[in-house]
Amino acid sequence: MAYFKNIGKIAYEGKGSDNPLAFKHYNPQEVVLGKTMEEHLRFAVAYWHTFTASGADPFGVGTAVRGWDSANEMDQAKMRVEANFEFLNKIGIPFYCFHDRDIAPEGASLAETNKNLDVIVDLLEQGMKDTGAKLLWNTANMFTNPRFVHGAGTTSNADVYAYAGAQLKKSLEIGKRLGAENYVFWGGREGYETLLNTDMALELDNLARLFHMAVAYANEIGFGAQFLIEPKPKEPTKHQYDFDAATTIAFLQKYGLKDYFKLNLEANHATLAGHTFEHEIRVAAINGMLGSLDANQGDLLLGWDTDEFPTDLFSTTLTMYEVLKAGGIGKGGVNFDAKVRRGSFEDEDLFLAHIAGMDTYAWGLKAAAKLIDTNLIDGFVENRYRSFKEGIGAEIVAGRATLASLEQYALQNNAIKNESGRLERIKLQLNEIIYSV
Ligand code: XLS
Ligand code: CA
Ligand code: CA
């Protein structure tokens, strides 16, 4: 059955087109710096925002009008599978991502929940065979159900920890069956509200133990997906343990997990942590930990995770610049972890929102490639640090300098001369590049 009957395949029509249901910048086969846009961007649809969510917020029920609204829970789950493949095909996105609880309803027991999952996973497997759609990543939702009130891997209750382990095991099996290229761990409630009732050391040790068990089980069943941890500084807990890229890398290092994980970085989580998205990507990249991206944007006037579709060109340009400089996104992709606003409740809005995100990323990719071609940033940065290429700078970089040798140099070097960072000039040139492509 078709759910989006009034919408056909979205085509690339180029910059002059005024058709809202067409791409102006995303031309999948267009080659940019030696790879097609499709290969660079590896777009994915987030199942939860696109098919499961209803637009409900703390002040009101859902507003979305969908073709599966009136069916019972299990039928809705089946209808969403069909809608997913129809949507992927029409919008031209090769990948999708889901949490276990997005695709199938929970039953009265864990066994019944797993049975529901099996029914839907069969349908997903068949749909993927029929359409060629691929799973960028799957994950386990260990935060919505009330049992996770005190966390999952960091809960104070060992029974809940065991349940989380069982849920994770099933999720890894599903990932293997559907050939997921990555597997994501986002610590939904892995954090705390107050130290007055919290054993932080035990919680962190337990979380690491769960990750080690996941690595061991994936090995055991031959599930070769890249494991990814997704940092977020707050929401739902006040102190999320995986605060940002740097904190997460330190955690992985401490517990001997660094070789088994990379990072799934989200734009809105970066800004919640007080960083830009490009900062988080650079931190991951220089540590060899860049895994995948959750593409969205926050609202500067709101302090929470609004998960808006990315439409800020300045940000997508700098994001794609970081990705290109890091040598690409590898097995990862650009997953639209983004939801249409509550007022955008029609099916057509799902298409328009993804088109906006895809065009903004494609535009950003073209601008980033031009930034590299024109050598604007690289050239400036290289010149800015040229003092480390010779003399005392070269001694420092070679690791031969000591405090005594620095003192000897500084004592005879009375005229230190700094140079301007030229920030405003560079920003204007960046604007010119963005609007020229
Ligand atoms: C929530 C997160 C979540 C992860 C997957 O803020 O973004 O959706 O991406 O669990
Ligand atoms: Ca996310
Ligand atoms: Ca988010």
Side-chain angles (χ1 to χ4, degrees):
M1 169 170 167
Y3 293 90
F4 311 112
K5 285 196 202 75
N6 300 327
I7 294 173
K9 220 168 154 53
I10 308 299
Y12 169 72
E13 292 185 4
K15 276 208 243 176
S17 165
D18 60 2
N19 175 7
L21 287 167
F23 297 115
K24 319 292 183 300
H25 293 273
Y26 181 59
N27 183 9
Q29 297 317 318
E30 185 177 326
V31 174
V32 177
L33 295 181
K35 276 201 294 192
T36 65
M37 283 195 178
E38 189 175 18
E39 290 165 340
H40 275 292
L41 293 163
R42 293 169 58 85
F43 285 131
V45 168
Y47 206 95
W48 55 103
H49 285 311
T50 309
F51 307 112
T52 317
S54 63
D57 72 10
F59 302 95
V61 297
T63 55
V65 181
R66 305 284 181 245
W68 48 87
D69 284 344
S70 56
N72 70 40
E73 271 199 316
M74 202 54 195
D75 283 343
Q76 281 192 338
K78 293 178 184 166
M79 293 163 104
R80 288 185 179 119
V81 171
E82 289 184 65
N84 175 50
F85 292 115
E86 182 189 346
F87 186 81
L88 291 172
N89 175 47
K90 287 186 167 167
I91 194 85
I93 288 187
F95 293 99
Y96 70 112
C97 302
F98 63 79
H99 303 80
D100 48 3
R101 303 302 177 244
D102 305 332
I103 59 166
E106 289 201 56
S109 63
L110 179 59
E112 200 182 297
T113 300
N114 285 347
K115 250 191 222 149
N116 290 349
L117 275 172
D118 290 339
V119 171
I120 300 300
V121 170
D122 282 346
L123 297 176
L124 288 171
E125 193 176 36
Q126 189 57 48
M128 290 169 76
K129 266 195 202 127
D130 294 345
T131 64
K134 291 173 280 185
L135 188 58
L136 185 67
W137 50 261
N138 65 313
T139 183
N141 174 337
M142 307 203 289
F143 44 89
T144 299
N145 191 291
R147 80 176 61 85
F148 298 117
V149 60
H150 300 306
T154 61
T155 175
S156 47
N157 182 344
D159 286 355
V160 175
Y161 189 97
Y163 192 103
Q167 191 177 331
L168 175 53
K169 175 173 176 287
K170 179 75 181 169
S171 235
L172 295 172
E173 289 160 6
I174 291 171
K176 169 162 165 77
R177 232 186 109 185
L178 298 180
E181 302 201 8
N182 304 270
Y183 184 89
V184 164
F185 297 81
W186 169 60
R189 293 187 192 274
E190 315 295 22
Y192 70 96
E193 301 300 321
T194 169
L195 285 176
L196 296 175
N197 64 11
T198 300
D199 185 341
M200 189 198 277
L202 177 67
E203 291 199 357
L204 287 166
D205 288 351
N206 280 347
L207 186 59
R209 288 182 183 112
L210 195 64
F211 289 145
H212 275 292
M213 290 182 222
V215 170
Y217 190 63
N219 239 340
E220 188 184 324
I221 63 173
F223 179 33
Q226 171 65 59
F227 276 10
L228 303 172
I229 296 195
E230 179 177 331
K232 183 174 184 179
K234 54 190 163 199
E235 201 200 333
T237 66
K238 184 160 67 180
H239 303 277
Q240 296 272 137
Y241 288 131
D242 298 323
F243 187 94
D244 61 1
T247 315
T248 307
I249 292 170
F251 169 88
L252 292 170
Q253 235 153 9
K254 171 176 173 186
Y255 290 101
L257 286 160
K258 192 164 174 269
D259 293 346
Y260 307 106
F261 287 81
K262 286 194 163 124
L263 302 180
N264 182 42
L265 298 166
E266 180 180 313
N268 205 162
H269 298 181
T271 50
L272 283 177
H275 303 307
T276 59
F277 198 18
E278 55 272 21
H279 166 92
E280 288 292 85
I281 298 171
R282 182 73 65 96
V283 170
I286 64 179
N287 285 286
M289 299 290 281
L290 178 58
S292 194
L293 301 181
D294 270 8
N296 59 16
Q297 68 187 31
D299 185 321
L300 284 183
L301 305 183
L302 302 175
W304 62 89
D305 193 19
T306 58
D307 285 348
E308 293 170 24
F309 274 85
T311 51
D312 180 343
L313 270 180
F314 199 82
S315 168
T316 59
T317 299
L318 294 181
T319 296
M320 289 315 298
Y321 178 75
E322 291 302 322
V323 170
L324 291 175
K325 294 294 290 180
I329 200 67
K331 284 181 91 170
V334 175
N335 168 46
F336 290 110
D337 190 354
K339 59 184 171 208
V340 287
R341 296 305 86 191
R342 196 164 180 269
S344 305
F345 49 79
E346 297 175 2
D347 286 338
E348 187 169 325
D349 291 306
L350 294 175
F351 285 86
L352 294 171
H354 281 86
I355 291 169
M358 292 161 81
D359 260 351
T360 307
Y361 259 87
W363 190 334
L365 168 65
K366 288 188 286 182
K370 191 157 176 190
L371 259 180
I372 289 175
D373 277 344
T374 56
N375 205 31
L376 172 68
I377 296 181
D378 282 345
F380 193 87
V381 170
E382 202 182 314
N383 185 50
R384 187 163 183 237
Y385 292 88
R386 68 184 185 283
S387 64
F388 285 95
K389 292 250 164 68
E390 56 193 44
I392 191 69
E395 290 292 300
I396 293 168
V397 170
R400 283 193 295 267
T402 63
L403 290 185
S405 74
L406 294 180
E407 182 193 46
Q408 194 189 20
Y409 179 83
L411 281 171
Q412 48 78 38
N413 182 40
N414 285 324
I416 290 178
K417 201 172 149 275
N418 267 313
E419 289 172 5
S420 165
R422 292 279 187 266
L423 180 59
E424 297 79 1
R425 168 80 186 125
I426 296 172
K427 280 196 169 174
L428 180 61
Q429 286 176 293
L430 180 56
N431 282 347
E432 283 164 1
I433 285 182
I434 291 173
Y435 290 104
S436 75
V437 296

